[in-house]
Amino acid sequence: MMPRYLTQPEAKGLGMTSQRARDRMIERLRGEGGIADERVLTAMRTVPRHLFIDEALASRAYEDTALPIGNGQTISQPWVVARMTEALVEHGMPGRVLEVGTGSGYQASVLATLGLETYSVERIEELLRIARRRFRHQGLNVRTRHDDGRAGWPEYAPFDGIIVTAGAAAMEQALLDQLAEGGTLVAPIGGPSGQRLLRLRRIGGELVQEDLGAVVFVPLLPGTL
Ligand code: SAH
């Protein structure tokens, strides 16, 4: 007789949430995605993305697409997470990093899995509560705060890395002020005509800006919910 678990309907989606599905995602990121940083690829092979989205969508967890996570928000597309993380660590592993926009908690988990001391701020309490449970479940130490992340997290500044996962029309001065010397900030910036992924590095007291290409993010909004 077939083992009972194989006859259960939930077993059907199993293949899509397996390590094999994750390995295939990594090969796509490396291949068509052009992601070369093995540290980033290894971290993304480790974090089970299907545990960061609703069960009803879990079978699509390893497609290269953004997915809804409730409250009108989305978990970023794997390639975008990979690209932003790669851009953040390219010129040296930061020690302490700040993420603005915890969302599902996936990006923060990738950062923590890379061994970074991770701080993450989210404005929607309900999302943060679920993300915190995921961090605990994964045994990851991510420090979180329910607040408007446009103000950064001054108590723990300066940060060697800052990653903003929601789009603003312009760079927030408070975040720039909390970026350490030698630090890197990655953020989607742009108006209705389109967002660009920008990387700013503070080098010798100067800010050096690079444009890493077009991206699509949900908006960075004021206040808390
Ligand atoms: N990094 C997330 C992506 C979430 S989408 C992930 O890996 O899943 C962007 C998130 O930014 C949303 O959860 C949204 O609520 C949050 N956000 C938007 N404006 C914000 C603000 N001012 N401060 C903190 N979080 C904000």
PDB file of all heavy atoms in Angstrom, residues 191-213:
ATOM      1  N   GLY A 191       9.893  58.104  -9.957  1.00  0.00           N
ATOM      2  CA  GLY A 191       8.501  58.521  -9.978  1.00  0.00           C
ATOM      3  C   GLY A 191       7.679  57.615 -10.850  1.00  0.00           C
ATOM      4  O   GLY A 191       8.063  56.481 -11.139  1.00  0.00           O
ATOM      5  N   PRO A 192       6.506  58.125 -11.293  1.00  0.00           N
ATOM      6  CA  PRO A 192       5.576  57.326 -12.091  1.00  0.00           C
ATOM      7  C   PRO A 192       6.179  56.850 -13.413  1.00  0.00           C
ATOM      8  O   PRO A 192       5.755  55.836 -13.961  1.00  0.00           O
ATOM      9  CB  PRO A 192       4.417  58.295 -12.357  1.00  0.00           C
ATOM     10  CG  PRO A 192       4.624  59.449 -11.442  1.00  0.00           C
ATOM     11  CD  PRO A 192       6.050  59.477 -11.024  1.00  0.00           C
ATOM     12  N   SER A 193       7.188  57.544 -13.901  1.00  0.00           N
ATOM     13  CA  SER A 193       7.765  57.165 -15.196  1.00  0.00           C
ATOM     14  C   SER A 193       8.676  55.954 -15.069  1.00  0.00           C
ATOM     15  O   SER A 193       9.159  55.422 -16.072  1.00  0.00           O
ATOM     16  CB  SER A 193       8.543  58.340 -15.786  1.00  0.00           C
ATOM     17  OG  SER A 193       9.591  58.691 -14.913  1.00  0.00           O
ATOM     18  N   GLY A 194       8.905  55.481 -13.858  1.00  0.00           N
ATOM     19  CA  GLY A 194       9.702  54.266 -13.700  1.00  0.00           C
ATOM     20  C   GLY A 194      10.738  54.375 -12.611  1.00  0.00           C
ATOM     21  O   GLY A 194      11.303  55.431 -12.385  1.00  0.00           O
ATOM     22  N   GLN A 195      10.943  53.233 -11.937  1.00  0.00           N
ATOM     23  CA  GLN A 195      11.942  53.192 -10.864  1.00  0.00           C
ATOM     24  C   GLN A 195      13.272  52.658 -11.392  1.00  0.00           C
ATOM     25  O   GLN A 195      13.296  51.791 -12.259  1.00  0.00           O
ATOM     26  CB  GLN A 195      11.469  52.254  -9.742  1.00  0.00           C
ATOM     27  CG  GLN A 195      10.219  52.716  -9.020  1.00  0.00           C
ATOM     28  CD  GLN A 195       9.634  51.605  -8.153  1.00  0.00           C
ATOM     29  OE1 GLN A 195       9.947  50.421  -8.301  1.00  0.00           O
ATOM     30  NE2 GLN A 195       8.755  51.986  -7.246  1.00  0.00           N
ATOM     31  N   ARG A 196      14.355  53.163 -10.804  1.00  0.00           N
ATOM     32  CA  ARG A 196      15.687  52.642 -11.098  1.00  0.00           C
ATOM     33  C   ARG A 196      16.265  52.112  -9.788  1.00  0.00           C
ATOM     34  O   ARG A 196      16.054  52.715  -8.732  1.00  0.00           O
ATOM     35  CB  ARG A 196      16.617  53.740 -11.633  1.00  0.00           C
ATOM     36  CG  ARG A 196      16.065  54.562 -12.776  1.00  0.00           C
ATOM     37  CD  ARG A 196      15.939  53.801 -14.050  1.00  0.00           C
ATOM     38  NE  ARG A 196      17.190  53.250 -14.538  1.00  0.00           N
ATOM     39  CZ  ARG A 196      17.288  52.549 -15.680  1.00  0.00           C
ATOM     40  NH1 ARG A 196      16.204  52.336 -16.431  1.00  0.00           N
ATOM     41  NH2 ARG A 196      18.446  52.063 -16.059  1.00  0.00           N
ATOM     42  N   LEU A 197      16.987  51.019  -9.877  1.00  0.00           N
ATOM     43  CA  LEU A 197      17.681  50.522  -8.702  1.00  0.00           C
ATOM     44  C   LEU A 197      19.000  51.282  -8.584  1.00  0.00           C
ATOM     45  O   LEU A 197      19.841  51.211  -9.484  1.00  0.00           O
ATOM     46  CB  LEU A 197      17.939  49.020  -8.831  1.00  0.00           C
ATOM     47  CG  LEU A 197      18.537  48.344  -7.592  1.00  0.00           C
ATOM     48  CD1 LEU A 197      17.595  48.464  -6.398  1.00  0.00           C
ATOM     49  CD2 LEU A 197      18.829  46.879  -7.865  1.00  0.00           C
ATOM     50  N   LEU A 198      19.151  52.051  -7.505  1.00  0.00           N
ATOM     51  CA  LEU A 198      20.363  52.842  -7.324  1.00  0.00           C
ATOM     52  C   LEU A 198      21.229  52.250  -6.220  1.00  0.00           C
ATOM     53  O   LEU A 198      20.713  51.726  -5.230  1.00  0.00           O
ATOM     54  CB  LEU A 198      20.019  54.294  -6.972  1.00  0.00           C
ATOM     55  CG  LEU A 198      19.186  55.082  -7.985  1.00  0.00           C
ATOM     56  CD1 LEU A 198      19.048  56.537  -7.528  1.00  0.00           C
ATOM     57  CD2 LEU A 198      19.802  55.025  -9.389  1.00  0.00           C
ATOM     58  N   ARG A 199      22.528  52.349  -6.420  1.00  0.00           N
ATOM     59  CA  ARG A 199      23.469  51.986  -5.354  1.00  0.00           C
ATOM     60  C   ARG A 199      24.291  53.211  -5.016  1.00  0.00           C
ATOM     61  O   ARG A 199      24.865  53.849  -5.895  1.00  0.00           O
ATOM     62  CB  ARG A 199      24.388  50.859  -5.792  1.00  0.00           C
ATOM     63  CG  ARG A 199      25.499  50.618  -4.736  1.00  0.00           C
ATOM     64  CD  ARG A 199      26.194  49.296  -4.921  1.00  0.00           C
ATOM     65  NE  ARG A 199      26.959  49.245  -6.151  1.00  0.00           N
ATOM     66  CZ  ARG A 199      27.626  48.166  -6.559  1.00  0.00           C
ATOM     67  NH1 ARG A 199      27.615  47.061  -5.839  1.00  0.00           N
ATOM     68  NH2 ARG A 199      28.302  48.189  -7.684  1.00  0.00           N
ATOM     69  N   LEU A 200      24.306  53.557  -3.737  1.00  0.00           N
ATOM     70  CA  LEU A 200      25.121  54.678  -3.270  1.00  0.00           C
ATOM     71  C   LEU A 200      26.162  54.159  -2.305  1.00  0.00           C
ATOM     72  O   LEU A 200      25.835  53.390  -1.400  1.00  0.00           O
ATOM     73  CB  LEU A 200      24.261  55.716  -2.550  1.00  0.00           C
ATOM     74  CG  LEU A 200      23.518  56.675  -3.464  1.00  0.00           C
ATOM     75  CD1 LEU A 200      22.140  56.158  -3.736  1.00  0.00           C
ATOM     76  CD2 LEU A 200      23.447  58.045  -2.836  1.00  0.00           C
ATOM     77  N   ARG A 201      27.411  54.562  -2.512  1.00  0.00           N
ATOM     78  CA  ARG A 201      28.475  54.172  -1.580  1.00  0.00           C
ATOM     79  C   ARG A 201      29.097  55.427  -1.005  1.00  0.00           C
ATOM     80  O   ARG A 201      29.333  56.405  -1.722  1.00  0.00           O
ATOM     81  CB  ARG A 201      29.520  53.331  -2.298  1.00  0.00           C
ATOM     82  CG  ARG A 201      28.946  52.008  -2.784  1.00  0.00           C
ATOM     83  CD  ARG A 201      29.883  51.307  -3.729  1.00  0.00           C
ATOM     84  NE  ARG A 201      31.135  50.992  -3.065  1.00  0.00           N
ATOM     85  CZ  ARG A 201      32.318  50.977  -3.681  1.00  0.00           C
ATOM     86  NH1 ARG A 201      32.408  51.272  -4.964  1.00  0.00           N
ATOM     87  NH2 ARG A 201      33.408  50.679  -3.000  1.00  0.00           N
ATOM     88  N   ARG A 202      29.326  55.403   0.308  1.00  0.00           N
ATOM     89  CA  ARG A 202      29.977  56.540   0.960  1.00  0.00           C
ATOM     90  C   ARG A 202      31.477  56.275   0.996  1.00  0.00           C
ATOM     91  O   ARG A 202      31.948  55.406   1.724  1.00  0.00           O
ATOM     92  CB  ARG A 202      29.435  56.726   2.387  1.00  0.00           C
ATOM     93  CG  ARG A 202      29.920  58.020   3.040  1.00  0.00           C
ATOM     94  CD  ARG A 202      29.441  58.145   4.473  1.00  0.00           C
ATOM     95  NE  ARG A 202      28.005  58.309   4.633  1.00  0.00           N
ATOM     96  CZ  ARG A 202      27.333  59.427   4.335  1.00  0.00           C
ATOM     97  NH1 ARG A 202      27.961  60.476   3.849  1.00  0.00           N
ATOM     98  NH2 ARG A 202      26.033  59.486   4.513  1.00  0.00           N
ATOM     99  N   ILE A 203      32.187  56.991   0.153  1.00  0.00           N
ATOM    100  CA  ILE A 203      33.628  56.772   0.018  1.00  0.00           C
ATOM    101  C   ILE A 203      34.349  58.080   0.309  1.00  0.00           C
ATOM    102  O   ILE A 203      34.168  59.063  -0.412  1.00  0.00           O
ATOM    103  CB  ILE A 203      33.994  56.279  -1.413  1.00  0.00           C
ATOM    104  CG1 ILE A 203      33.162  55.029  -1.757  1.00  0.00           C
ATOM    105  CG2 ILE A 203      35.478  55.989  -1.519  1.00  0.00           C
ATOM    106  CD1 ILE A 203      33.263  54.606  -3.210  1.00  0.00           C
ATOM    107  N   GLY A 204      35.142  58.086   1.358  1.00  0.00           N
ATOM    108  CA  GLY A 204      35.896  59.281   1.731  1.00  0.00           C
ATOM    109  C   GLY A 204      34.978  60.473   1.946  1.00  0.00           C
ATOM    110  O   GLY A 204      35.275  61.590   1.534  1.00  0.00           O
ATOM    111  N   GLY A 205      33.827  60.217   2.570  1.00  0.00           N
ATOM    112  CA  GLY A 205      32.908  61.311   2.864  1.00  0.00           C
ATOM    113  C   GLY A 205      32.034  61.721   1.678  1.00  0.00           C
ATOM    114  O   GLY A 205      31.095  62.499   1.840  1.00  0.00           O
ATOM    115  N   GLU A 206      32.324  61.182   0.489  1.00  0.00           N
ATOM    116  CA  GLU A 206      31.509  61.503  -0.689  1.00  0.00           C
ATOM    117  C   GLU A 206      30.532  60.359  -0.966  1.00  0.00           C
ATOM    118  O   GLU A 206      30.831  59.206  -0.670  1.00  0.00           O
ATOM    119  CB  GLU A 206      32.415  61.654  -1.926  1.00  0.00           C
ATOM    120  CG  GLU A 206      33.466  62.730  -1.822  1.00  0.00           C
ATOM    121  CD  GLU A 206      32.888  64.099  -2.120  1.00  0.00           C
ATOM    122  OE1 GLU A 206      32.193  64.226  -3.135  1.00  0.00           O
ATOM    123  OE2 GLU A 206      33.126  65.021  -1.305  1.00  0.00           O
ATOM    124  N   LEU A 207      29.388  60.703  -1.587  1.00  0.00           N
ATOM    125  CA  LEU A 207      28.456  59.664  -2.000  1.00  0.00           C
ATOM    126  C   LEU A 207      28.635  59.400  -3.492  1.00  0.00           C
ATOM    127  O   LEU A 207      28.577  60.319  -4.310  1.00  0.00           O
ATOM    128  CB  LEU A 207      27.019  60.095  -1.708  1.00  0.00           C
ATOM    129  CG  LEU A 207      26.590  60.013  -0.244  1.00  0.00           C
ATOM    130  CD1 LEU A 207      25.244  60.692  -0.033  1.00  0.00           C
ATOM    131  CD2 LEU A 207      26.530  58.555   0.240  1.00  0.00           C
ATOM    132  N   VAL A 208      28.909  58.158  -3.828  1.00  0.00           N
ATOM    133  CA  VAL A 208      29.090  57.771  -5.226  1.00  0.00           C
ATOM    134  C   VAL A 208      27.866  56.969  -5.648  1.00  0.00           C
ATOM    135  O   VAL A 208      27.507  55.986  -5.003  1.00  0.00           O
ATOM    136  CB  VAL A 208      30.366  56.913  -5.393  1.00  0.00           C
ATOM    137  CG1 VAL A 208      30.546  56.486  -6.833  1.00  0.00           C
ATOM    138  CG2 VAL A 208      31.577  57.669  -4.869  1.00  0.00           C
ATOM    139  N   GLN A 209      27.200  57.407  -6.721  1.00  0.00           N
ATOM    140  CA  GLN A 209      25.944  56.787  -7.129  1.00  0.00           C
ATOM    141  C   GLN A 209      26.080  56.012  -8.433  1.00  0.00           C
ATOM    142  O   GLN A 209      26.701  56.479  -9.377  1.00  0.00           O
ATOM    143  CB  GLN A 209      24.873  57.873  -7.288  1.00  0.00           C
ATOM    144  CG  GLN A 209      23.518  57.330  -7.729  1.00  0.00           C
ATOM    145  CD  GLN A 209      22.449  58.402  -7.787  1.00  0.00           C
ATOM    146  OE1 GLN A 209      22.277  59.168  -6.839  1.00  0.00           O
ATOM    147  NE2 GLN A 209      21.743  58.466  -8.904  1.00  0.00           N
ATOM    148  N   GLU A 210      25.478  54.820  -8.469  1.00  0.00           N
ATOM    149  CA  GLU A 210      25.420  54.031  -9.703  1.00  0.00           C
ATOM    150  C   GLU A 210      23.974  53.632  -9.973  1.00  0.00           C
ATOM    151  O   GLU A 210      23.225  53.361  -9.041  1.00  0.00           O
ATOM    152  CB  GLU A 210      26.194  52.716  -9.551  1.00  0.00           C
ATOM    153  CG  GLU A 210      27.662  52.804  -9.391  1.00  0.00           C
ATOM    154  CD  GLU A 210      28.147  51.503  -8.734  1.00  0.00           C
ATOM    155  OE1 GLU A 210      28.332  50.511  -9.453  1.00  0.00           O
ATOM    156  OE2 GLU A 210      28.284  51.493  -7.500  1.00  0.00           O
ATOM    157  N   ASP A 211      23.626  53.540 -11.256  1.00  0.00           N
ATOM    158  CA  ASP A 211      22.303  53.089 -11.674  1.00  0.00           C
ATOM    159  C   ASP A 211      22.404  51.624 -12.081  1.00  0.00           C
ATOM    160  O   ASP A 211      23.142  51.285 -13.014  1.00  0.00           O
ATOM    161  CB  ASP A 211      21.844  53.953 -12.862  1.00  0.00           C
ATOM    162  CG  ASP A 211      20.422  53.632 -13.293  1.00  0.00           C
ATOM    163  OD1 ASP A 211      19.978  52.486 -13.081  1.00  0.00           O
ATOM    164  OD2 ASP A 211      19.776  54.526 -13.855  1.00  0.00           O
ATOM    165  N   LEU A 212      21.684  50.744 -11.382  1.00  0.00           N
ATOM    166  CA  LEU A 212      21.791  49.301 -11.641  1.00  0.00           C
ATOM    167  C   LEU A 212      20.657  48.790 -12.528  1.00  0.00           C
ATOM    168  O   LEU A 212      20.520  47.590 -12.725  1.00  0.00           O
ATOM    169  CB  LEU A 212      21.826  48.526 -10.319  1.00  0.00           C
ATOM    170  CG  LEU A 212      22.930  48.911  -9.320  1.00  0.00           C
ATOM    171  CD1 LEU A 212      22.839  48.052  -8.058  1.00  0.00           C
ATOM    172  CD2 LEU A 212      24.314  48.805  -9.939  1.00  0.00           C
ATOM    173  N   GLY A 213      19.804  49.699 -13.021  1.00  0.00           N
ATOM    174  CA  GLY A 213      18.778  49.263 -13.958  1.00  0.00           C
ATOM    175  C   GLY A 213      17.353  49.458 -13.476  1.00  0.00           C
ATOM    176  O   GLY A 213      17.113  49.872 -12.342  1.00  0.00           O
TER     177      GLY A 213
END
